[in-house]
Amino acid sequence: MSERGQPTIRDLQQRAERALEAGRRAEIERTLIELAREAPVGSEAALFAHRHLAELHLEDNPWRAALHLRRAIDAGHPRHGDVLHALMGLCQALLGNYAYAARCYRRALSFAPGTPWYHHNLGHLLDVGLDDLVGAEHHLRVAYEQEPMHDEVVASLAHCLARRGKLVEALVLAREALALAPHHKEHRSLLEWVEQGAPAKRPRTVKGVMGRVGAAAAHRDDVEDVSHYEDEFAECVAALLVDQMIAGGFDPDDINCARDVLDDYIGLRDAVGRPDVLAAAVEYTVSQLRGLGLSQQNIADRYGVTRGAVGHRSRDIRTTLSLNPSGR
């Protein structure tokens, strides 16, 4: 305790650690939120709080988890870089932002190049989410070489090889995966699919597999909502928007314009839908306003969303803000 009787940062972190060990979710969240609020920005204590808050909300509220991860990543602790970027990759995959998720896993591998779980999740994203089968096979083989007894790793490689037409090897691996987990319905479905010659229908999904391989332990207990998320939603969308626009080579003026459009729109709309769709729609709107010539389909593909969703949200942005697409 401090001299004034208030818990110190160390007290709060120790309390959070005890709650984590005991699995008391409501107490975990309350203590981590207090620690995140009190700890100096960029400190190890703040990183601890934001990382565990992200893990806590990874599946039930992935955009909120992304916000906490962005704060932790921005602290710039290289010792934790691989874990934070891998968690962000899983989070973005749960949101459906597959290209962004793949970049996160590549960044995680730059910190820890030998980690089989990162290779697996990146390879699986490239296979099922992004249709880069050559890149997928490379990463899935690395994972398999290190973890040949992990049924999901084996199944993912089998799936990729079948899609590449390497049916003999895929069949052997699909049988191995089912032997390792005989009651796994998806592995049985995978084997049947390969035995049929791997027709176009794909029996596996990004979200299902990635959440079971190398993922942080997520607590699923029911818990009372402890806060309103409007500000956090806006920050989450802004973080995704800025990351994508930087990666897309936009100049600072374009990015600042996009942030202004986003802030104005959220300020006038109570319900703004999915973070990835909104971010993509803001980028498309700014592209039109500033005459940048980017296609709606190109932007939708980069964010991993549908062209129709981007168009619908972009029209609502222009109507709400009375924007003229032909103006600069």
Side-chain angles (χ1 to χ4, degrees):
M1 289 287 182
S2 67
E3 294 180 0
R4 304 175 66 178
Q6 298 298 318
T8 64
I9 299 301
R10 183 57 187 156
D11 292 334
L12 289 172
Q13 185 164 340
Q14 289 177 338
R15 189 187 303 169
E17 289 169 350
R18 290 193 296 269
L20 285 163
E21 290 174 2
R24 299 187 294 268
R25 172 157 179 162
E27 182 181 349
I28 291 168
E29 184 159 21
R30 284 195 302 269
T31 309
L32 289 173
I33 288 172
E34 186 176 1
L35 179 59
R37 183 173 59 245
E38 299 296 334
V41 174
S43 66
E44 286 281 353
L47 184 147
F48 173 90
H50 286 299
R51 171 183 168 178
H52 285 286
L53 281 167
E55 292 176 351
L56 197 66
H57 290 288
L58 189 63
E59 291 188 0
D60 69 350
N61 206 328
W63 63 258
R64 189 181 186 199
L67 171 64
H68 288 295
L69 287 168
R70 173 52 54 196
R71 289 172 176 168
I73 288 169
D74 286 347
H77 293 272
R79 183 162 58 89
H80 305 282
D82 68 309
V83 174
L84 295 176
H85 286 294
L87 284 170
M88 181 65 90
L90 180 55
C91 181
Q92 295 301 327
L94 292 172
L95 287 168
N97 301 325
Y98 299 145
Y100 187 10
R103 289 202 301 273
C104 292
Y105 276 108
R106 287 192 174 97
R107 204 165 298 172
L109 283 167
S110 74
F111 287 95
T115 306
W117 318 122
Y118 303 165
H119 280 287
H120 170 272
N121 283 2
L122 175 55
H124 183 66
L125 274 167
L126 295 174
D127 175 13
V128 179
L130 297 171
D131 286 327
D132 177 2
L133 299 184
V134 175
E137 180 180 346
H138 166 74
H139 288 286
L140 290 171
R141 284 196 185 279
V142 172
Y144 177 69
E145 288 169 3
Q146 297 184 61
E147 294 292 336
M149 301 303 291
H150 194 296
D151 64 291
E152 294 285 6
V153 171
V154 178
S156 291
L157 179 56
H159 182 271
C160 176
L161 292 176
R163 292 193 66 208
R164 296 206 67 193
K166 302 180 179 182
L167 293 176
V168 175
E169 187 179 2
L171 183 60
V172 171
L173 291 170
R175 288 170 177 164
E176 283 183 15
L178 188 58
L180 289 167
H183 303 295
H184 199 305
K185 293 181 181 180
E186 291 182 23
H187 292 351
R188 186 169 301 281
S189 174
L190 173 68
L191 176 58
E192 292 171 356
W193 177 70
V194 176
E195 288 175 337
Q196 294 166 9
K201 182 180 177 181
R202 303 176 192 171
R204 290 163 70 77
T205 64
V206 167
K207 296 180 183 180
V209 176
M210 289 187 61
R212 295 192 294 268
V213 181
H219 303 273
R220 294 185 176 87
D221 301 332
D222 291 335
V223 60
E224 182 181 357
D225 190 11
V226 297
S227 64
H228 298 287
Y229 303 147
E230 289 86 353
D231 290 342
E232 294 178 347
F233 178 89
E235 291 185 41
C236 178
V237 177
L240 175 59
L241 178 65
V242 170
D243 276 354
Q244 285 281 0
M245 293 186 75
I246 290 173
F250 286 84
D251 65 40
D253 286 342
D254 296 330
I255 295 173
N256 288 335
C257 178
R259 289 296 306 269
D260 289 341
V261 169
L262 174 64
D263 291 345
D264 290 346
Y265 180 67
I266 288 180
L268 294 172
R269 275 282 187 255
D270 292 329
V272 288
R274 285 176 46 176
D276 50 356
V277 172
L278 178 55
V282 170
E283 181 180 318
Y284 178 64
T285 302
V286 170
S287 174
Q288 287 191 306
L289 289 171
R290 301 176 74 86
L292 301 178
L294 294 179
S295 73
Q296 197 174 92
Q297 188 65 60
N298 175 270
I299 292 173
D301 289 345
R302 281 197 289 106
Y303 283 86
V305 299
T306 66
R307 181 174 178 268
V310 174
H312 175 78
R313 182 61 63 189
S314 179
R315 286 190 295 274
D316 189 61
I317 291 171
R318 295 197 304 270
T319 300
T320 301
L321 301 182
S322 300
L323 298 175
N324 176 9
S326 64
R328 293 293 295 264

